[in-house]
Amino acid sequence: MKKYRLENWDWYQLLEEADIQEVSIEKGPLINTWFREIKDKRTNYLHIDTSVEDQEILSGSLIYHREIDKKEEYEIFHFYLSNDTLITFDYKDNSLHIDRNNFIQEIKRAQTPIEGFMVILGKIMTEILYHIDSYEQQLDELIWDVKDRNSIKTLDKVYQSRHELLIWKNVMIPFLEIRYSLEEAFGNELAKGKEYARISKRIERGLTLVEEYQKELNNLVDFEEVVSQHRGNEIMKTLTVFTTLCTPIMAWGALWGMNFKIMPELEWKLGYLFSLGIIVGSTVAVFFYLKSRGWMGDLLKARKKNSFFR
């Protein structure tokens, strides 16, 4: 257990269940009650107790890190927050991008445990934002892949990125809920301060980035759908035109392939050339009819100026 006794409040950073008893001796039996409620929690959880004036309590559990590809791989910590005490259980300072000494200095500058807790949330958000910066580069490459070498593989990457963004959003939304809960539990005045305002902006920045990236991905998905529909229409158009052009051949071939005894054409001296002429002529007629309707070229090119559909 690490205990930080600051100017007006205390922070207990607990990593072992045995440490709870020691804290409860100092802070009262409510700590044991809190721990019994949250020790088995494996999802985000929040509880506000405002039953006693000036002794408000905010407690809960927060998933602060999650693996993108593994559902069961995540880290969660539990917290207890009152007017003069902050307790975190199972919170590990495992960030690779933040200097721990600077982090402790930020904690010490906090005037209240509310601000101290926001500093912890800010540290976690900073780590998430580093991941989002890497995601931004990945998204930029994906945008150009869609243009340069679009394929099913690229579409799969789009949906993988969409899933990854949903994971980050799922991790960050509880931070916003906690921020609102702090104001609900402790009031606007107690929940105001420089560190509180700074971290609030950081949370909003992260969520705004995710929202904007989500819009970009939605545009990519819409683009892929338009391209797929257009290519599908082109395939259907080609098959339809080919079938239509072959219709005279099949029709005349079926007619002259009949085995009736009385078929005058079989006795004609030039019957073979005549049949070829009929077949070629009717096929050419069908071709020019389709062309006159604008069905042989670009489907998006209208036959009349200033019209999209005619």
Side-chain angles (χ1 to χ4, degrees), residues 34-35 41 60 78 96 109 112 138 145 147 182 193 211 273 278 291 293 304:
W34 159 72
F35 187 72
K41 297 286 185 184
H78 313 287
L96 300 176
R109 287 200 303 267
T112 65
Q138 171 188 329
D145 279 351
K147 180 179 183 296
L182 288 171
E211 290 289 344
L273 293 177
I278 290 291
K291 188 175 180 64
R293 300 291 299 175
K304 294 185 178 181

Side-chain angles (χ1 to χ4, degrees), residues 35-43 78:
F35 187 72
R36 282 196 301 270
E37 291 177 353
I38 55 86
K39 67 177 181 179
D40 295 324
K41 297 286 185 184
R42 302 308 302 166
T43 59
H78 313 287

